[in-house]
Each structure stands twice: as C-alpha cells, then as structure tokens.
C-alpha cells in the first residue's frame, strides 16, 4: 500500500457507568498503534449517570495504515467493500462501526460500540471519487 487516501481516521466509543474504563479503553486500543494517545471527555447521561467519551484521531499515514490493517482483518470485510456506496457520505466521510465486546477480546467484528469515521481524500471532493478511492484501498488490504 503505497499511499493512504485518507486525511484522518477518528475512532470513538462511550464508557457507561456500568463499564470499566480500562476495559473499554483496551477495546479501543485494538484498532490503534501501541501507546497511541486517547482523549477522554467526561459527560453525564439523562439520569445523571457518568459517561466517558474515549476518542482518538489518527492523522499520520503509518498509523492510519495500522488502523486500516486492523479494519481489514474483520471477517466480513468483503461485505464492507460491497456496501461502500452506503458507507461514504456527501462530505467524503467513510463510516463503520465495530463490536466493543469483541474488540475487548482483541477481535475485530462489525457491530455496535466503536465508531470509525475516516475522511477520504478525493480530488475533486465528490462522493463518487471518495467511494472509488476507498474501494481501491480496501481491495489492497
């Protein structure tokens, strides 16, 4: 993979009051390079319960490659390739969600809990070009 057609990749998950912060952070780290910084933001739910938002923005090409290699290890990556038209929006952003519990165990599976948003490079910045660039990259992985 010579170049990475993404400006950045954002990963985000929520840690609810019933969950252990370290375990949820470990799940997020399944996708990140070793010792990559994770931002924490404290919030409050509707009933006053604690919610911690854990997020990381990956902008370096080598680190983006690491994240995308993890994404490509999903058993149903072929389905993701087939759904690209639905997964890239008009702002050239690619969206995918992963199972937080599986990620805690070191597995990459599609599901709910961890959100990936990647800004796809496209010149001109058109959705069709972004889909084409994302498809080419996912086929290389």
């Amino acid at each position: 993979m010579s170049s990475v057609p993404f400006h950045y990749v954002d990963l985000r998950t929520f840690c609810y009051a019933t969950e252990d912060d370290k375990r949820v952070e470990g799940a997020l780290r399944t996708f990140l390079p070793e010792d990559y910084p994770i931002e924490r933001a404290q919030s409050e739910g509707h009933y006053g319960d604690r919610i911690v938002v854990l997020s990381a923005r990956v902008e370096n090409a080598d680190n983006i490659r690491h994240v995308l290699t993890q994404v490509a290890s999903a058993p149903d990556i072929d389905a993701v390739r087939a759904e690209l038209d639905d997964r890239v929006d008009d702002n050239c952003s690619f969206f995918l969600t992963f199972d937080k519990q599986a990620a805690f165990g070191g597995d990459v599976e599609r599901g709910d809990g961890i959100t990936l948003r990647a800004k796809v490079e496209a010149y001109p910045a058109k959705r069709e070009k972004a889909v084409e660039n994302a498809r080419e990259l996912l086929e290389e992985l």
Side-chain angles (χ1 to χ4, degrees):
M1 176 177 8
S2 56
S3 66
V4 180
F6 289 111
H7 293 289
Y8 58 84
V9 174
D10 286 330
L11 290 160
R12 184 179 68 188
T13 189
F14 299 103
C15 179
Y16 299 100
T18 57
E19 297 176 313
D20 180 357
D21 293 19
K22 296 295 180 199
R23 295 180 93 176
V24 174
E25 182 177 325
L28 190 60
R29 289 201 177 281
T30 297
F31 298 91
L32 297 170
E34 191 172 327
D35 297 327
Y36 199 84
I38 293 178
E39 293 181 24
R40 302 169 69 87
Q42 191 89 14
S43 189
E44 188 175 292
H46 181 71
Y47 296 104
D49 51 323
R50 173 192 64 91
I51 298 174
V52 178
V53 181
L54 302 172
S55 62
R57 174 168 280 196
V58 180
E59 296 177 307
N60 173 288
D62 290 335
N63 292 336
I64 290 173
R65 275 189 205 93
H66 179 86
V67 172
L68 295 176
T69 300
Q70 294 300 102
V71 169
S73 72
D76 58 351
I77 193 66
D78 292 332
V80 173
R81 288 183 192 109
E83 298 168 354
L84 274 175
D85 286 331
D86 297 328
R87 298 200 166 275
V88 176
D89 68 9
D90 291 335
N91 292 321
C92 301
S93 292
F94 168 66
F95 293 92
L96 198 55
T97 58
F98 297 97
D99 186 294
K100 185 168 38 173
Q101 186 66 39
F104 173 71
D107 297 323
V108 176
E109 296 178 13
R110 288 183 14 185
D112 294 324
I114 298 175
T115 302
L116 176 143
R117 175 183 173 264
K119 185 70 169 186
V120 183
E121 288 181 359
Y123 303 103
K126 301 285 185 198
R127 183 181 164 283
E128 294 76 21
K129 182 66 176 165
V131 169
E132 179 184 322
N133 288 346
R135 181 168 282 118
E136 286 176 14
L137 175 70
L138 289 176
E139 287 172 359
E140 286 182 29
L141 296 175

